[in-house]
Amino acid sequence: MRNYILADNQELTRFALESLLKKEEGNAVYKAYDKAGLVALLKEHESAVVLLDYTLFDFADEDQLLIVAERFSLSDWILISDELTPQFIRRVVYSSHQFSVVYKDGPLSEVREAVRMVEHHSRYLSQRALETIIAQQQEADKSDSILTQTETEIVKAIALGKTTKEIAAERFSSIHTVTTHRKNIFRKLGINTAHEAVKYALRAGLIDASDFYI
């Protein structure tokens, strides 16, 4: 039996999940209403299972969520929502094995199965989540084919925070050449800033969260 933290601001959902979890004797269920409260509970119960509706909580973005999960590495997370974007799901699932994904409008059997598997530290991805990840991967692969090998390498360098001067030195190229590549990359991807290049590189799997935050 394990400790569970319900991080969902819909009262009806909390009631349903609490009823489901308390059917098993020995389960302890706690409730968090914001990120600060969730972190406080995780400090007390570091190996808890968190059932989270990310879209209803006050995380600024998925990066904050991943940082909290990494901080409490013994915890497991079941994301339960209706409105998770394909990019979000792919990013979170690829970044950490701590996350399982089900949907609120899916069958109850999926939630039960997710709880059962996570109780034994195994990950559960619903069929819809798997299909979403595959579709997003195919889209990313399609985007990758837009760029040349050189442009892909430069996107990765930009995402890792390297300046145009540093990239030019590493590639034994002129700053003008790298600047031209950069302009072409931004035009092909339909982006305007280095921050957007970072997001693209993360989605495309050119870098991962651990590379980026070190």
Side-chain angles (χ1 to χ4, degrees):
M1 302 305 166
R2 297 187 64 179
N3 294 320
Y4 292 85
I5 300 173
L6 299 182
D8 189 313
N9 287 324
Q10 287 182 335
E11 187 174 359
L12 184 59
T13 304
R14 286 199 308 271
F15 176 79
L17 290 174
E18 186 173 13
S19 299
L20 174 66
L21 295 171
K22 285 190 171 179
K23 283 185 177 180
E24 294 290 333
E25 288 187 19
N27 284 347
V29 181
Y30 306 90
K31 300 185 184 79
Y33 301 95
D34 55 27
K35 180 166 65 70
L38 174 58
V39 169
L41 283 170
L42 282 168
K43 286 179 180 178
E44 295 180 31
H45 312 286
E46 293 188 353
S47 61
V49 177
V50 180
L51 291 90
L52 169 71
D53 187 334
Y54 171 82
T55 61
L56 298 179
F57 245 56
D58 59 337
F59 285 100
D61 52 31
E62 63 263 33
D63 296 327
Q64 272 195 359
L65 175 61
L66 289 168
I67 288 169
V68 172
E70 184 177 356
R71 179 180 174 187
F72 300 100
S73 59
L74 298 179
S75 64
D76 291 295
W77 299 65
I78 301 176
L79 301 179
I80 305 179
S81 181
D82 290 332
E83 300 177 357
L84 298 176
T85 66
Q87 294 87 351
F88 173 88
I89 294 174
R90 183 173 182 270
R91 170 85 189 284
V92 170
V93 168
Y94 279 25
S95 296
S96 174
H97 195 73
Q98 292 169 262
F99 291 95
S100 297
V101 181
V102 295
Y103 291 87
K104 282 187 176 178
D105 59 354
L108 181 59
S109 59
E110 290 187 344
V111 179
R112 287 198 182 101
E113 183 64 10
V115 170
R116 186 189 69 78
M117 291 186 67
V118 170
E119 186 175 318
H120 297 92
H121 303 285
S122 296
R123 175 153 76 179
Y124 178 83
L125 300 175
S126 69
Q127 184 63 33
R128 180 176 162 190
L130 285 170
E131 290 171 356
T132 298
I133 292 168
I134 292 169
Q136 180 61 24
Q137 179 64 56
Q138 291 172 340
E139 185 179 327
D141 291 344
K142 201 178 296 181
S143 296
D144 288 346
S145 66
I146 294 173
L147 303 181
T148 66
Q149 180 63 34
T150 296
E151 289 169 343
T152 300
E153 292 169 0
I154 290 175
V155 168
K156 181 175 180 178
I158 292 171
L160 292 173
K162 295 178 182 177
T163 65
T164 300
K165 185 176 180 180
E166 289 171 333
I167 296 169
E170 287 182 358
R171 300 186 63 82
F172 302 102
S173 300
S174 69
I175 291 176
H176 173 73
T177 298
V178 174
T179 299
T180 300
H181 279 307
R182 182 186 175 104
K183 288 179 180 177
N184 289 335
I185 290 165
F186 281 27
R187 175 180 54 78
K188 287 181 178 181
L189 297 180
I191 62 177
N192 299 293
T193 66
H195 180 65
E196 289 175 299
V198 171
K199 286 187 173 182
Y200 167 80
L202 285 165
R203 290 197 305 268
L206 300 179
I207 61 173
D208 61 35
S210 60
D211 288 332
F212 184 60
Y213 287 105
I214 288 174

